[in-house]
Structure formats: structure tokens, C-alpha cells
């Protein structure tokens, strides 16, 4: 009974095995071509299997390459402008057409397929471009060979000046081991930076030191971008014509530059306006200040009421005449004669003295 239980379990697992989806990574990614040779202007069909599901791949025709040695010189040896991008399906397979173009370097050539994002994976298939030059590959050196043992990383951070457009900089850190039979002294690495799908810009950097056969060393190389760079970049490491590692680098936008230009667009017009108004104020002619206008209302002519005296002769020219007081009327004025006779004084008036020249009353 005890021996039957493992047998039943094994049979049950065997029956369920075809139903389970194949795990990615169990087999190496493979590439197949519809033709091994074609001329410029034609096209070939490229199929692949064993890739990670739902993954973006790039298909290129590269020169100076063999499946056993890879692409010597990296993507600089490939026809990047005529490459094609495909996406694998849920089973990790793909199928696509690739136009045939001449690579920038001589053959032997391959159709190179590599992942664009995620875990790095690639595969090559031998291909011959009809009519393109063919040259032998450089012989492999019997000296020491370096291989990256650990994942690469970028150390460092952006400062305040980078926020205002200064060149972003990092330090590429990785560990290499010498898998050759002889020591490697002062190796020269090539560090490249690429933005998006563009080819990397390479910079040679020499590391001072010696790596013995079977030994390893941690290497740090500076990496710097141009001023104002931002977006998604890829840092590539190359040694001996082979790309050893690639590291993504996301660079933030220098928002300080944007804020600066916004302030310039606001302040500059205001300053120009103030300067222009000051110039106009100095150049324009001076006008004397005017007195405030008085209110001109309607004026009525002055009226003087004069009451004529009856029985009195008009005064001679040049003589002043006494005007009647306001509490006397023309008939009760003491100095006015009524019907040729002087009027009698009123009761409330002051007594008057007889004038020597006053007329006397005669006998009637």
C-alpha cells in the first residue's frame, strides 16, 4: 500500500503537467529566420520562442557578429534605423517581418533579438546580407577575460544645481572577475549613455589596478550626462568589444530652469514698461500748471432805488446830498418841505434850534 501512494502521486502529476503553462527561463530564448540570406530591399520573417510573456523586443541586423561571440561593438555595429519592435504573446513567442538593410560594419552578420525592458535576454541567428562586404573577425586574445559577477548599480544623487540644469552625475559600481588564464592590468572600459532608442555615446575610462586569474575587484567609474538632460537613460558597460552590463537611469526634469524662465517672462515686461514710462516722463514737454477755474454763476446787475423829491431843486453838480434815513419816509423827513413849507417835527424827534436864517411867519 505504501508503495502505491508515490506511484499514484507521480501519475497524477504526469497527467496535470501538460495543463500547466511552461515556466519562462526553463529554456534559452531562440530565434528562427525564414531565409538565411537576402538582398537589400527585401524582407525576412523572424520567429522566436522561449521568451518572457508580454515582453517588448527589438530586432536588428548587426555586423561583425557571431552567435558564439555575440555582437562585437554593441549596437554601433547594427542597422538601428531599420530595426523593428515586437511584443511576445502569453506563451512567450513572437512573429514579425524585418526589412533587409546593410549594417554599418562588414559581415559576418546576425539577426540580433534583445529585450528592451525588464530582465536582460538576447539571442542571435546567423544571416548573410547579399552583396555586403565580409571580413574576418578579430582573433580572440589569450589574455585574461573579465566578466561581471554582480548586478551593476548607480550611486549618488542630484543636488540643487542639478535642479537648475547642471549636468547629472552618478558613479557606476560593479564587480568583475578574471576568468582568463593571465592577469589583467589597467583595463580600459567603455561607458555609454543612451536616451530612449538612440545609440549610446561612449566614453573610454581606464581603471588602475591588476586583476589576477580567478580574482575579482570592485570597480567604480564616473558617469555624467549633458546639462539639462532629463528622461529615461541607459548606462552601458563594454569591455573587449562586448557589452558586459546595462543599467537604467531615470533623470528628473530640472524644474528650476522652468521656474526661472517663468519669472523672467513676468519681470522683464514689467521692467521694460517702467523704464519706458520713465523715459517718456523725461522727454515730454513741461506744461505750466493752471489755476483752478472759478465757478461762474449768474450775476444780477446791482439795482439802486432812488425816490425823487417833490418840490426840491436838483443839487448842483459836484455837491453831496444827504440820503433819507431808513426810519424816515419822504413825507416825514424833517428836512423836507411839504407844499413849500417845512414839516413839523415829530414827537419823538429831538428839539431843534431856530436857525437865524429860518423864515419868520408874518402877519396875515
Amino acid at each position: 500500500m505504501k508503495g502505491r501512494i508515490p506511484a499514484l502521486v507521480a501519475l497524477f502529476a504526469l497527467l496535470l503537467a501538460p495543463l500547466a503553462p511552461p515556466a519562462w527561463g526553463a529554456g534559452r530564448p531562440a530565434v528562427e529566420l525564414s531565409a538565411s540570406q537576402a538582398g537589400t530591399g527585401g524582407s525576412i520573417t523572424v520567429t522566436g520562442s522561449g521568451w518572457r510573456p508580454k515582453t517588448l523586443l527589438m530586432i536588428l541586423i548587426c555586423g561583425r557578429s557571431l552567435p558564439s561571440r555575440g555582437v562585437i561593438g554593441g549596437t554601433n555595429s547594427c542597422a538601428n534605423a531599420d530595426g523593428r519592435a515586437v511584443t511576445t504573446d502569453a506563451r512567450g513567442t513572437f512573429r514579425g517581418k524585418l526589412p533587409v538593410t546593410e549594417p554599418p560594419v562588414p559581415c559576418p552578420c546576425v539577426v540580433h533579438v534583445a529585450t528592451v525592458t525588464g530582465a536582460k535576454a538576447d539571442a542571435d541567428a546567423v544571416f548573410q546580407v547579399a552583396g555586403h562586404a565580409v571580413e574576418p573577425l578579430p582573433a580572440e586574445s589569450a589574455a585574461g577575460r573579465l566578466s561581471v559577477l554582480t548586478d551593476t548599480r548607480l550611486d549618488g544623487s542630484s543636488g540643487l544645481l542639478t535642479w537648475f540644469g547642471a549636468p547629472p552625475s552618478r558613479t557606476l559600481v560593479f564587480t568583475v572577475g578574471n576568468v582568463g588564464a593571465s592577469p589583467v592590468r589597467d583595463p580600459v572600459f567603455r561607458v555609454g549613455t543612451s536616451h530612449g532608442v538612440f545609440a549610446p555615446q561612449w566614453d573610454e575610462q581606464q581603471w588602475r589596478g591588476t586583476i589576477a586569474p580567478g580574482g575579482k575587484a570592485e570597480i567604480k567609474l564616473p558617469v555624467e550626462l549633458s546639462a539639462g538632460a532629463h528622461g529615461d537613460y541607459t548606462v552601458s558597460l563594454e569591455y573587449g568589444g562586448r557589452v558586459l552590463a546595462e543599467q537604467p537611469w531615470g533623470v528628473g526634469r530640472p524644474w528650476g530652469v522652468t521656474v526661472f524662465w517663468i519669472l523672467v517672462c513676468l519681470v522683464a515686461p514689467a521692467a521694460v514698461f517702467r523704464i519706458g514710462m520713465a523715459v517718456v516722463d523725461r522727454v515730454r514737454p513741461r506744461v505750466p500748471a493752471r489755476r483752478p477755474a472759478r465757478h461762474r454763476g449768474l450775476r444780477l446787475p446791482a439795482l439802486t432805488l432812488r425816490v425823487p423829491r417833490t418840490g426840491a431843486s436838483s443839487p448842483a453838480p459836484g455837491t453831496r446830498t444827504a440820503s433819507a434815513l431808513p426810519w424816515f419816509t419822504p413825507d416825514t423827513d424833517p428836512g423836507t418841505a411839504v407844499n413849500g413849507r417845512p414839516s413839523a417835527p415829530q414827537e419823538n424827534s429831538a428839539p431843534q434850534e431856530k436857525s437865524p436864517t429860518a423864515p419868520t411867519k408874518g402877519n396875515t
Side-chain angles (χ1 to χ4, degrees):
M1 185 66 181
K2 294 182 179 179
R4 294 181 179 179
I5 294 177
L8 293 175
V9 173
L11 180 61
F12 185 72
L14 183 62
L15 293 175
L16 293 180
L19 301 179
W24 177 80
R28 183 175 178 82
V31 177
E32 295 181 0
L33 307 178
S34 60
S36 60
Q37 180 177 351
T40 303
S43 63
I44 57 175
T45 301
V46 183
T47 58
S49 60
W51 298 86
R52 189 170 66 252
K54 303 297 181 181
T55 302
L56 181 63
L57 305 177
M58 179 62 69
I59 307 176
L60 300 171
I61 296 180
C62 303
R64 295 187 63 186
S65 307
L66 282 176
S68 59
R69 298 185 58 179
V71 180
I72 300 177
T75 54
N76 289 338
S77 302
C78 304
N80 298 295
D82 297 301
R84 292 294 183 267
V86 295
T87 303
T88 59
D89 56 17
R91 297 179 299 174
T93 62
F94 71 89
R95 182 184 181 90
K97 283 193 174 183
L98 177 67
V100 178
T101 55
E102 295 183 354
V105 294
C107 286
C109 300
V110 297
V111 173
H112 181 71
V113 182
T115 56
V116 178
T117 58
K120 182 180 178 182
D122 55 24
D124 299 327
V126 177
F127 180 72
Q128 177 63 39
V129 179
H132 192 57
V134 179
E135 294 182 2
L137 297 180
E140 291 187 285
S141 175
R145 295 172 56 190
L146 298 181
S147 177
V148 176
L149 302 180
T150 60
D151 293 336
T152 59
R153 70 178 189 272
L154 292 173
D155 290 348
S157 59
S158 301
L160 181 62
L161 295 180
T162 305
W163 201 67
F164 282 93
S169 61
R170 294 289 189 275
T171 301
L172 180 64
V173 182
F174 57 95
T175 301
V176 296
N178 186 358
V179 296
S182 60
V184 177
R185 296 180 176 88
D186 300 336
V188 178
F189 297 93
R190 297 181 67 196
V191 179
T193 55
S194 59
H195 182 51
V197 298
F198 295 98
Q201 302 293 327
W202 297 100
D203 180 26
E204 292 188 354
Q205 300 186 25
Q206 187 175 21
W207 181 77
R208 298 292 181 179
T210 302
I211 305 175
K216 61 181 181 179
E218 185 182 51
I219 299 177
K220 299 181 179 180
L221 301 176
V223 182
E224 185 176 281
L225 301 178
S226 59
H230 62 276
D232 295 330
Y233 284 80
T234 301
V235 180
S236 303
L237 176 66
E238 183 183 278
Y239 176 75
R242 297 180 60 187
V243 178
L244 301 181
E246 291 182 346
Q247 178 67 31
W249 183 9
V251 184
R253 182 181 295 273
W255 291 107
V257 179
T258 305
V259 174
F260 171 78
W261 284 113
I262 291 176
L263 294 178
V264 168
C265 293
L266 294 178
V267 174
V272 172
F273 176 76
R274 295 292 298 274
I275 294 174
M277 293 302 296
V279 171
V280 170
D281 186 64
R282 285 183 171 274
V283 172
R284 68 179 181 180
R286 298 293 179 179
V287 179
R290 297 181 178 180
R291 295 180 180 179
R294 297 179 180 178
H295 179 69
R296 296 182 180 181
L298 181 61
R299 290 186 177 181
L300 298 177
L303 300 178
T304 303
L305 181 62
R306 296 180 180 274
V307 180
R309 296 181 180 180
T310 58
S313 59
S314 60
T319 60
R320 298 181 61 184
T321 58
S323 61
L325 295 177
W327 55 83
F328 293 113
T329 61
D331 297 337
T332 60
D333 188 355
T336 304
V338 179
N339 296 329
R341 296 179 181 181
S343 61
Q346 296 182 357
E347 295 180 359
N348 295 334
S349 62
Q352 298 181 356
E353 295 181 357
K354 285 187 178 182
S355 174
T357 59
T360 57
K361 187 178 180 181
N363 296 327
T364 54

